[in-house]
Amino acid sequence: MILLFELILQATFFQFMSINGYYPDLVLITLVIIGVFYDKEASWKYGFIIGVLRDILYGRVFGVYALGYTVTIIAVSWIGKNIFKESFASPLLLFPVGTVTINSLVYIIHYLLRMAVPVEEYIANFGLMYWMLNLGVLAIMYSLFRTLRQKGILLKM
Amino acid sequence: MKWFGEHKFGVLIGLIVGVLVLGIGLTSGGRVHTTAPEGLISSGVGSISRIFYYSSQYVNNFYEFISDLSTLKSRNEELEDLLIEYKSNLTDYEKMVQENKELKSLLEFKEENAQYEYVSASVLSIDPDLGFSVFVINRGSNDGVGNNMTVILKEGLVGRVVEVSSSTSKVLSIIDRNSMFNGVCVRTRDYVRITGDDNYMLKGYVDSEAEIQAGDIITTSGLTGSFKKDIVVGEVIEVLTSQGKMEKEVVIEPAVELEKLNNVLIIK
């Protein structure tokens, strides 16, 4: 439900309220946090469900984001559990992994379907402001989620 | 069996990836209708999106109003100057109104447009990545909306319906790169191939001998694609001629301010 709420926010509120067109990718941030908390066997469902919902609600081709988010959260979980542990730095280091994975997959699929914009224009969307904004929001959300998790309110152990 | 037990997760993910790749393949050419569960989800989320969309627009307008306060004095002076200019133009304007009425009756625009039946719709949400390239409206097959129907505003062309569910539809706007259609220059009758471009602009291609120029109005030709005839597309703001090219490139400003879209009309 939190992921769906974030997806709706990104399609409505952040379309009007953004900083030079940049806004936090709350869905990806939350998926990275879930990927840090859970192993891949438990986390993939979150990526799959929100991906399917995104494809249904806003996508023109069914499966692009379902595939992208599922692969991304599995990659984040796997790297998180094998390389980093559940430390404060791990989501900050795994967010770039998630960003590169989801956007590469989506771009490749769109490219194969001849729906892609030129690659240099696509990369231009990920400027300094994108990283500052998303990593800042990620740090806040991770602290919040971790506290709620430790209290047994959200994303139970 | 033992192998399946050990690789259960890998097999499951493999199957899901296979199904999704199949889904991408089957829907890559676009879909006329969505399935019933998809329609149900779109309707449910659509009503919540509508509340967020309006609230966000309200907050944004309020924020813009606050930001504009500091520039109000200079704007007021500018407006006073404009008012004087407009007063002097009033006589010309009244002449033009009369002229316009005559032209309209000559061209029988009114009769031509009256043949269409319209459905009004409101924007529910916008594609999070592409902005107004693709947006969702609150009318679907239950309201008689069908695939490829033309979406307009009184100012001009907005786009076309690309996917329909029971109570919502997705619209591909004319500024999307995948939107391609034919237009015609009102003054010279030259045909223009039009496609979407960045920054809410359109790109057009005309024959190198075409006498098109900045300020010309482009309407839909109605010859190819799904758009109805004679709907205003926009105004030419720049004509680019490159040496050795068989075509001229024109930059067209859409007649509709897509970034401020709220309600639209669908031609049935």
Side-chain angles (χ1 to χ4, degrees):
Chain A
M1 287 304 284
I2 291 172
L3 284 164
L4 179 60
F5 175 72
E6 290 171 347
L7 185 63
I8 294 171
L9 272 188
Q10 283 182 213
T12 54
F13 183 73
F14 286 128
Q15 296 298 318
F16 296 100
M17 303 301 285
S18 59
I19 305 168
N20 291 333
Y22 290 102
Y23 57 85
D25 191 341
L26 296 180
V27 173
L28 184 61
I29 288 171
T30 308
L31 287 179
V32 168
I33 294 170
I34 293 169
V36 171
F37 286 155
Y38 293 132
D39 57 17
K40 61 182 188 299
E41 285 82 1
S43 65
W44 71 271
K45 288 167 263 182
Y46 294 93
F48 177 72
I49 292 168
I50 197 63
V52 167
L53 285 172
R54 180 165 179 164
D55 285 328
I56 291 172
L57 295 171
Y58 310 114
R60 287 170 53 208
V61 179
F62 180 83
V64 176
Y65 279 94
L67 183 63
Y69 282 145
T70 307
V71 173
T72 301
I73 199 164
I74 289 172
V76 167
S77 279
W78 187 83
I79 297 169
K81 289 286 171 274
N82 287 282
I83 299 171
F84 310 110
K85 301 298 165 194
E86 202 177 301
S87 70
F88 192 80
S90 59
L92 296 175
L93 295 167
L94 286 167
F95 181 76
V97 174
T99 304
V100 171
T101 311
I102 180 68
N103 288 293
S104 304
L105 278 167
V106 168
Y107 189 85
I108 289 166
I109 297 168
H110 280 158
Y111 180 79
L112 293 172
L113 299 174
R114 298 183 179 194
M115 290 164 72
V117 295
V119 69
E120 59 273 18
E121 281 181 32
Y122 196 74
I123 291 170
N125 293 324
F126 304 96
L128 184 66
M129 180 61 88
Y130 172 86
W131 294 106
M132 280 169 59
L133 193 63
N134 279 284
L135 292 174
V137 173
L138 173 69
I140 296 164
M141 282 181 69
Y142 181 66
S143 309
L144 184 71
F145 275 57
R146 199 163 67 161
T147 310
L148 292 173
R149 191 174 187 233
Q150 281 164 353
K151 288 182 178 173
I153 299 168
L154 203 71
L155 299 171
K156 290 176 185 166
M157 303 212 192
Chain B
M1 282 305 286
K2 195 184 166 196
W3 185 88
F4 274 106
E6 285 171 359
H7 299 87
K8 206 166 70 181
F9 180 70
V11 172
L12 177 70
I13 294 301
L15 276 171
I16 286 169
V17 168
V19 170
L20 291 174
V21 169
L22 191 70
I24 292 169
L26 290 172
T27 58
S28 61
R31 287 187 293 172
V32 176
H33 290 286
T34 56
T35 57
E38 287 176 90
L40 205 66
I41 292 168
S42 294
S43 311
V45 176
S47 45
I48 302 165
S49 293
R50 184 95 195 118
I51 298 165
F52 275 96
Y53 189 84
Y54 269 118
S55 316
S56 309
Q57 221 173 24
Y58 180 79
V59 172
N60 185 47
N61 290 343
F62 182 71
Y63 176 75
E64 277 182 357
F65 172 73
I66 298 292
S67 312
D68 285 349
L69 277 177
S70 57
T71 56
L72 269 182
K73 197 186 169 197
S74 58
R75 275 186 67 193
N76 189 37
E77 283 167 5
E78 278 174 31
L79 287 171
E80 277 178 3
D81 290 342
L82 273 174
L83 188 65
I84 294 162
E85 197 184 321
Y86 286 149
K87 273 179 183 170
S88 68
N89 287 340
L90 195 62
T91 321
D92 292 341
Y93 169 75
E94 279 170 352
K95 268 192 218 168
M96 281 170 72
V97 169
Q98 188 56 36
E99 214 175 289
N100 192 26
K101 275 182 187 170
E102 287 166 11
L103 279 170
K104 268 190 178 174
S105 66
L106 279 172
L107 293 167
E108 294 178 346
F109 259 122
K110 199 179 169 184
E111 286 82 356
E112 210 166 305
N113 291 333
Q115 73 192 21
Y116 301 133
E117 197 185 331
Y118 302 98
V119 180
S120 64
S122 300
V123 177
L124 289 179
S125 54
I126 318 162
D127 187 301
D129 285 341
L130 303 169
F132 269 107
S133 285
V134 180
F135 57 91
V136 183
I137 53 171
N138 67 341
R139 293 280 183 265
S141 54
N142 291 347
D143 309 288
V145 176
N147 205 34
N148 280 330
M149 280 185 175
T150 307
V151 181
I152 59 161
L153 271 182
K154 68 172 183 176
E155 289 88 352
L157 186 65
V158 172
R160 67 185 165 90
V161 176
V162 286
E163 201 176 291
V164 183
S165 63
S166 55
S167 58
T168 60
S169 302
K170 284 177 194 163
V171 176
L172 180 75
S173 78
I174 52 172
I175 56 160
D176 189 88
R177 282 171 185 271
N178 294 302
S179 162
M180 286 196 92
F181 60 100
N182 263 356
V184 64
C185 176
V186 174
R187 186 178 60 85
T188 63
R189 307 309 297 170
D190 289 313
Y191 286 103
V192 190
R193 285 188 293 113
I194 303 167
T195 181
D197 195 11
D198 291 331
N199 303 321
Y200 293 90
M201 288 298 199
L202 301 169
K203 224 174 358 182
Y205 299 94
V206 286
D207 194 86
S208 59
E209 288 172 9
E211 290 173 359
I212 199 162
Q213 62 187 45
D216 280 345
I217 300 294
I218 308 294
T219 62
T220 50
S221 69
L223 292 177
T224 55
S226 42
F227 293 128
K228 304 284 185 193
K229 199 181 169 186
D230 288 338
I231 299 166
V232 176
V233 176
E235 183 183 334
V236 175
I237 55 166
E238 200 179 356
V239 181
L240 307 163
T241 313
S242 306
Q243 284 290 327
K245 282 201 174 174
M246 301 291 285
E247 288 180 318
K248 282 180 189 173
E249 190 180 317
V250 289
V251 181
I252 304 163
E253 186 177 27
V256 175
E257 274 189 281
L258 283 155
E259 65 270 36
K260 290 182 179 170
L261 215 56
N262 201 356
N263 294 301
V264 292
L265 288 172
I266 305 155
I267 301 178
K268 282 177 93 175

